[in-house]
Amino acid sequence: MSQRPKLLVIDDGDRYIELVHALLREYDYATRCELPGPCWTCPEQRGCKLTHAHHAAEADDALRRHPDTDVVLLDVAFDIAEADLLPSSQPAHDPPEPLERRRRLQGLAILDRLRRSRTELPVILMTSLDDLALEDAGFAPGADELLTLAGADAFDARALGLLIERILARRHEVAEAGGFAWGTARAMTRLRQDATTLARTSLPILLLGATGTGKSALAEHVIHPATGRRGPFLPVDLSALPETLVAAELFGTARGAFSGAIERTGLFAQADGGTLLLDEIGNLPLDLQRMLLLTLQSGRVTRLGEAVSRTVDVKVIAATNADLEAEVRAGRFRADLYARLNPAARLVLPPLTSRIGDLKTLIDGFVGRAFAVGPDRALLGAYAEAAGLSGAPAARLTVGEPAQDSKDSDEYVTFVLSSQSFKALEAHSWPGNVRELELFVKNAVVFGLADALGAAERGRGGSAGSAAAARTIPISSRLVGELVARSWAAAPAVSSAPAGELAAEARGDFVPSVVPGPGLRDVARHLERQLYEHLFRKTGGDFAAMAGVLLTGDPAANARKVRLRFNQLGLKVRDLR
C-alpha cells in the first residue's frame, strides 16, 4: 500500500467526487487521466470528467491504470444511457428487467463484476436517503461496508472517512498473529476487526461456527489478549461435564452444600479479572441457564450452599456449533439468556471451504508451528544432524518446485507439495475445517521427515554431498491422498448462523398451491414465488440462508444470485416484513 491510500470513486454524477475532494484530501484518487494530482490543484479541473468512473467500463479503465487502488467507493443508482449499463443477469426465458430498475440497482451489478475480477478489493457501497431504501441495498453480500449519506457534507465525509479507515486497518493486519492463522480472506479480516473491537468492551461475545473452525483458538489467542485483562483465560467444555457437576464447576460450592461437597472455588471466581470461555454453550441444562443469566445480569455469583453472592469481573465468551435460535424455538435454550449473550454482534467463523484461497498461508503456518518446539522439533534436529546440515533449521513448505536461489534457503528445511497434491487439497471438502487441515499438515510433514531421516541415517536418498538437496523433502502424493482420505469423518451439517441454514426444516414444511396459468412457465414462476416467500419468512430475510437451501456452494457467495432472482420474481423486502 502506498503511503497515502488510494480511492476509486464510481458514480454517474459528481456529488460524491466533489465531497471527497473537498473534505477527504488525505487520500489519493484513482483517475482516468495522465496529469499528476491531486485533482483539486489541477489547472484543468473545471469541467473535467476524468476524476472518477461514471460506469463499469470506466471503472475497468481506472483500475487498469491504478492496480494499487486500496478502496472503491461505489454508488448504487446510475442514471446513465442503456448502452453503458452492464448486461442484465436476468435468465433469457424471463421477461426483460425494467430499464429503470436496472439503473436503480446498477451499482449492485458493478459490485458483482468487481467481486469476480478483483475478489479482495474492498468496496464501500454508498447511497442516499432519496436514492434508495436501505433494505434494497442492505443485502449486497459483496460489499465490505454500506453507507447511507445524510446530505450534510461534513457529517457524510466523517462517516465515510471512518469506514475507509476501518477497512484499511483490516488490510494492515498480518496473516498470522498471536497463534491464530487469519489468512487474507475478506470474511476473516472483518472477523478480526470485530473480534478485537468487542474484546475491549464489557459485553459478552458469542462465537458461532462449525466444528474445527477455530472458535477456541480465537477466544484464547485473540480475544483474551485484546481485552487487556490481567486475569487468567479459563476454558470449559460444557459438553464434557456431567450435568450434576456443571453448577459446581461454574459457580463453586460451600462445604456441606450436598453430600460430600467440599469448599470449591468455581470457574467464574477463578476467572475474576480475566476471561471465561463457555464452550458448547448449547449443552447447558435449562435450570443452569437461569443461574448463568443471573450472573451475567448482576456480575455476581453465588456458590452452591451459600446465600451470599460475590462480585466477579469476568469477560464471558460463549461458543457453539449449534443453531441457538432453533434451540430457543424448540424450548431447549432460554430466549432471555440468548439475548444476553449479545447475538446481534455475534462472530461467525467461516468454514475452510469458503476461504480456500488461504490454504497455502494456513499450511505454511502450520508447518512452522509443527517444528517450533517439542518432539517434532527434536526430530527435525536429528534429521539436520544426520544429513550434515549446519545450525538448527526452521521448516517451511512450498508448492511445486522450491526456489533454488533463495537467499534464506540455508535457514530452512523445505517440504515440497506437488501441484497435483495441492489441487487435491483445494478440492477436498474439509469437513473438519482448520482443525482437520492442521492435523493433516502435521501428519504429512512428520511422515515425510521420518522417511528423510531414515534415508539420511543410511547415507542414501539422493542427498549425499548436496546440502541444497538435503534441505528439500518432497511429500509423497500417495501419502497426501491417504491422509486426506482417512483424516476426518464428515458429521451431519449443523447450522452456525442464527435463523440458520434451515434447509431440512424449510423444505420439509413447504406446501405450494398450484394456480393454473396460460402457460407452464407462468405456473412455474408462481410456484417459485411461493418458495421464495416461504424461505424469506423462514430465514428472517437472510438471503445467505436462503442460498444455503437452494444452491450448492458457499451460501455467502450465492446470496447475491438469490437476491437477484428474488427481485426478478417481483418480490419486495418491505412487503414481506
Side-chain angles (χ1 to χ4, degrees):
M1 186 184 297
S2 62
Q3 187 173 1
R4 286 166 55 93
K6 184 176 291 185
L7 314 179
L8 169 63
V9 177
I10 309 176
D11 175 25
D12 61 317
D14 297 325
R15 161 84 175 94
Y16 296 139
I17 196 67
E18 290 174 352
L19 173 69
V20 297
H21 279 182
L23 297 175
L24 294 178
R25 293 187 172 183
E26 59 269 37
Y27 303 100
D28 289 334
Y29 291 88
T31 70
R32 296 181 296 112
C33 79
E34 303 297 335
L35 296 176
C39 292
W40 48 89
T41 65
C42 179
E44 306 294 330
Q45 63 177 295
R46 184 178 296 277
C48 179
K49 296 298 182 183
L50 302 177
T51 54
H52 63 293
H54 298 81
H55 49 72
E58 290 186 357
D60 290 342
D61 177 44
L63 288 173
R64 278 193 298 269
R65 294 170 181 268
H66 301 274
D68 58 339
T69 297
D70 294 301
V71 181
V72 170
L73 311 180
L74 174 62
D75 193 12
V76 175
F78 283 73
D79 187 11
I80 55 180
E82 184 174 6
D84 291 327
L85 292 171
L86 287 175
S88 174
S89 59
Q90 190 98 343
H93 59 267
D94 280 356
E97 192 173 18
L99 179 60
E100 283 310 306
R101 180 171 184 78
R102 287 178 60 196
R103 286 173 171 155
R104 192 163 67 94
L105 298 178
Q106 179 64 186
L108 302 187
I110 295 174
L111 173 62
D112 191 49
R113 182 187 181 105
L114 287 172
R115 281 290 155 258
R116 291 195 300 269
S117 61
R118 299 285 296 272
T119 308
E120 301 302 328
L121 182 61
V123 177
I124 297 177
L125 203 60
M126 303 182 299
T127 184
S128 70
L129 295 173
D130 296 331
D131 286 341
L132 190 71
L134 182 61
E135 60 263 31
D136 285 333
F139 291 93
D144 293 83
E145 297 289 350
L146 172 69
L147 177 63
T148 302
L149 299 178
D153 285 357
F155 177 82
D156 289 342
R158 172 65 171 163
L160 186 56
L162 290 178
L163 286 185
I164 293 168
E165 289 305 308
R166 184 182 187 192
I167 287 174
L168 293 174
R170 294 174 191 158
R171 299 190 76 193
H172 272 303
E173 301 287 2
V174 295
E176 180 169 350
F180 190 83
W182 289 100
T184 58
R186 291 171 57 248
M188 297 302 291
T189 55
R190 178 182 292 269
L191 177 68
R192 181 173 199 157
Q193 179 78 14
D194 293 346
T196 52
T197 297
L198 288 171
R200 294 191 291 266
T201 73
S202 61
L203 296 168
I205 297 178
L206 180 60
L207 300 182
L208 303 176
T211 297
T213 49
K215 299 184 293 295
S216 297
L218 179 68
E220 180 177 3
H221 299 299
V222 178
I223 296 176
H224 175 59
T227 64
R229 291 169 172 260
R230 297 187 177 182
F233 171 83
L234 297 179
V236 56
D237 184 348
L238 297 176
S239 68
L241 292 175
E243 286 191 15
T244 54
L245 297 181
V246 175
E249 185 74 13
L250 292 180
F251 306 112
T253 58
R255 184 180 299 275
F258 50 83
S259 178
I262 60 173
E263 275 308 301
R264 179 185 178 88
T265 302
L267 286 172
F268 267 98
Q270 294 177 45
D272 191 23
T275 303
L276 178 61
L277 169 62
L278 302 175
D279 205 0
E280 302 300 344
I281 187 71
N283 290 81
L284 191 65
L286 274 170
D287 56 335
L288 297 183
Q289 290 178 26
R290 180 178 179 277
M291 295 178 68
L292 175 59
L293 174 64
L294 293 175
T295 298
L296 293 177
Q297 288 176 334
S298 65
R300 303 180 68 83
V301 63
T302 304
R303 296 197 302 176
L304 301 183
E306 285 187 343
V308 178
S309 61
R310 310 173 187 218
T311 300
V312 290
D313 177 21
V314 177
K315 180 71 173 182
V316 174
I317 305 173
T320 182
N321 64 359
D323 183 345
L324 288 186
E325 279 197 2
E327 294 296 292
V328 170
R329 290 193 297 272
R332 293 187 292 267
F333 201 86
R334 293 179 63 108
D336 47 4
L337 175 58
Y338 176 66
R340 189 72 190 182
L341 292 175
N342 196 25
R346 61 189 174 268
L347 302 177
V348 181
L349 283 81
L352 181 55
T353 50
S354 70
R355 48 183 300 215
I356 210 69
D358 286 338
L359 202 59
K360 174 62 175 65
T361 301
L362 293 172
I363 289 174
D364 201 35
F366 291 146
V367 170
R369 192 181 305 172
F371 295 110
V373 293
D376 295 337
R377 175 67 180 170
L379 189 66
L380 183 64
Y383 171 73
E385 182 178 355
L389 302 179
S390 59
R396 64 182 177 185
L397 182 138
T398 64
V399 176
E401 295 293 328
Q404 299 298 322
D405 58 349
S406 175
K407 294 180 179 179
D408 59 358
S409 58
D410 290 346
E411 301 174 12
Y412 290 93
V413 168
T414 301
F415 294 88
V416 182
L417 269 179
S418 70
S419 299
Q420 292 76 13
S421 292
F422 188 72
K423 288 178 181 177
L425 298 183
E426 288 181 310
H428 183 50
S429 62
W430 298 109
N433 293 293
V434 176
R435 184 183 302 164
E436 178 188 1
L437 175 65
E438 183 171 14
L439 289 171
F440 160 79
V441 169
K442 287 184 177 180
N443 277 295
V445 295
V446 167
F447 276 115
L449 180 60
D451 290 342
L453 175 59
E457 289 174 337
R458 292 186 294 271
R460 297 194 292 269
S463 62
S466 171
R471 290 184 180 277
T472 301
I473 301 179
I475 296 177
S476 159
S477 296
R478 181 170 182 175
L479 173 63
V480 170
E482 290 174 348
L483 290 175
V484 168
R486 302 194 301 247
S487 67
W488 207 271
V494 180
S495 171
S496 62
E501 283 65 48
L502 306 172
E505 181 184 347
R507 286 191 290 262
D509 60 2
F510 172 55
V511 182
S513 60
V514 178
V515 177
L520 292 176
R521 185 178 300 168
D522 301 288
V523 177
R525 186 181 180 88
H526 182 70
L527 291 171
E528 192 177 4
R529 277 179 58 95
Q530 293 179 65
L531 175 60
Y532 270 68
E533 289 175 354
H534 170 78
L535 292 177
F536 185 91
R537 293 190 174 98
K538 270 289 182 185
T539 62
D542 186 338
F543 282 89
M546 292 171 66
V549 175
L550 295 170
L551 299 171
T552 59
D554 180 18
N558 288 329
R560 167 76 176 144
K561 298 177 184 176
V562 174
R563 172 71 189 197
L564 285 175
R565 185 58 183 162
F566 180 89
N567 294 335
Q568 292 161 2
L569 291 169
L571 298 172
K572 304 286 187 184
V573 169
R574 61 175 67 89
D575 294 340
L576 294 179
R577 284 186 166 163

